[in-house]
Amino acid sequence: MGKVDIVSLGEAMIEFNQTQPGSREYLQGYGGDTSNAIIAAARQGASTAYITLLGCDTFGDELVALWERENVSTAAVGRDPDAPTAVYFVTHGPTGHQFSYLRAGSAASRMTPADLPREVIEGAKYLHVSAISQAISASACDTVFAAIEIARNAGVKVVYDSNLRLKLWPLARARAVIRETISQCDVFLPSYDDVVHLAGVDDAEGIIDWCLAAGAPVAVLKLGKEGAIVATTQRRTKVAGQRVDAVDATGAGDTFAGALLARLAAGDEIGEAARYANAAAALATTGYGAVAPIPRAEAVRALLAQRTPAR
Ligand SMILES: O=C(O)C(=O)C[C@H](O)[C@H](O)CO
């Protein structure tokens, strides 16, 4: 395969998303944080590839077809005849959305460092990884660290999303692994809720202090409808939130990651890329599901041009 600018590594899943709170009807879609993010990057026009393992099953075929439709290269997608493609359910209630997973023993959870396509990573500008892939199994965690090592040795920038899922691993292990990974990445992309758990503090400044102390050269703290903060040891800049009619935040953080990566790969500086990513993420909350509402560049540009950001 030819070189691409952005490579993401992780687990994709088939999604069943409750049509409304309390309903017994579920809409089939697609999810998996890193897959959502790479699709978001591709929808902004970036050249992209995804690295994963799928089962040799219908759901695996559907995910391959999805990436092909979305212009995400599947050259580094493998199939495991002895394990299934993962599935998850999204339900909606008064406290927002909840995930229930059927992913233990999945094909992606059996990834090992030997599965990594070294040349695909080495040829990219950015490698995107997340803590969900580190949580699903010990071998997948090793695979993430091995991919980071390949990237760093080749001068490829590493963007890391904490995406803390306490249904997948205990907080103490998550904290240890995530702290270690922050020290190895170039851009750390946590959400406010993640770092409240990880750092044990709840004010944005304290959270950023924790991210920078953990070794992130740049931290972009996602604050949901409140926007984001871009921080380095020298400077902290607020990106204002966008007002939209939100119905489902599933995948919004991943859209932020993918859109940010796309704009960084296109040459934007980090503050401009974060402003764009924040608008893309806002639009991603206006429909149900992780993938269907991810906007394309025209919609993001229109929101940036037309709406007054929320204060
Ligand atoms: O929670 C996970 O592991 C997922 O990847 C499912 C969702 O698609 C993702 O979390 C949305 O951010």
Side-chain angles (χ1 to χ4, degrees):
M1 88 180 232
K3 285 186 178 186
V4 296
D5 284 348
I6 306 166
V7 177
S8 188
L9 158 72
E11 174 163 60
M13 295 178 285
I14 292 292
E15 175 185 88
F16 291 95
N17 199 315
Q18 196 176 36
T19 50
Q20 52 179 302
S23 170
R24 294 170 66 90
E25 284 177 20
Y26 290 79
L27 267 183
Q28 189 181 330
Y30 312 94
D33 62 337
T34 49
S35 170
N36 302 337
I38 203 71
I39 291 170
R43 286 196 187 173
Q44 312 319 306
S47 64
T48 56
Y50 193 53
I51 303 171
T52 194
L53 283 181
L54 297 168
C56 294
D57 45 27
T58 314
F59 286 161
D61 295 344
E62 287 185 27
L63 284 161
V64 170
L66 167 73
W67 295 317
E68 285 173 352
R69 283 197 303 278
E70 298 286 347
N71 289 320
V72 175
S73 168
T74 55
V77 173
R79 308 294 289 261
D80 181 340
D82 300 319
T85 301
V87 165
Y88 78 116
F89 297 84
V90 187
T91 48
H92 302 274
T95 55
H97 63 269
Q98 276 218 19
F99 299 139
S100 306
Y101 303 116
L102 293 177
R103 70 195 307 180
S106 67
S109 74
R110 289 154 54 111
M111 269 191 293
T112 69
D115 295 310
L116 287 173
R118 176 176 281 276
E119 67 296 344
V120 177
I121 298 171
E122 288 173 343
K125 290 182 183 164
Y126 288 93
L127 170 71
H128 170 248
V129 284
S130 96
I132 289 180
S133 317
Q134 296 172 306
I136 57 176
S137 72
S139 75
C141 187
D142 291 347
T143 308
V144 172
F145 279 118
I148 292 173
E149 194 180 340
I150 294 170
R152 282 163 61 97
N153 288 339
V156 176
K157 297 237 181 296
V158 177
V159 174
Y160 177 56
D161 194 327
S162 49
N163 260 345
L164 182 66
R165 300 286 184 269
L166 291 173
K167 282 188 176 169
L168 297 177
W169 56 351
L171 180 58
R173 175 160 164 78
R175 191 180 280 135
V177 172
I178 291 173
R179 259 198 98 113
E180 174 55 32
T181 317
I182 295 171
S183 74
Q184 299 184 20
C185 77
D186 296 283
V187 180
F188 179 45
L189 271 185
S191 70
Y192 172 85
D193 292 342
D194 286 3
V195 198
V196 167
H197 286 289
L198 293 168
V201 293
D202 63 5
D203 64 298
E205 293 302 321
I207 282 175
I208 287 168
D209 291 343
W210 184 89
C211 297
L212 297 175
V218 179
V220 182
L221 178 65
K222 296 173 280 180
L223 298 170
K225 64 180 176 1
E226 305 302 329
I229 298 174
V230 179
T232 63
T233 44
Q234 278 84 45
R235 211 175 149 172
R236 299 180 183 194
T237 312
K238 177 92 192 342
V239 175
Q242 293 279 352
R243 277 196 207 93
V244 292
D245 295 325
V247 294
D248 178 13
T250 307
D254 309 330
T255 298
F256 190 108
L260 183 93
L261 279 155
R263 291 314 314 162
L264 289 176
D268 282 4
E269 59 82 28
I270 186 84
E272 194 49 34
R275 201 172 81 87
Y276 181 100
N278 178 59
L283 288 170
T285 67
T286 61
Y288 281 93
V291 170
I294 296 173
R296 294 184 188 278
E298 308 79 69
V300 181
R301 294 277 176 220
L303 179 64
L304 284 169
Q306 288 164 20
R307 303 247 183 148
T308 314
R311 293 277 160 208

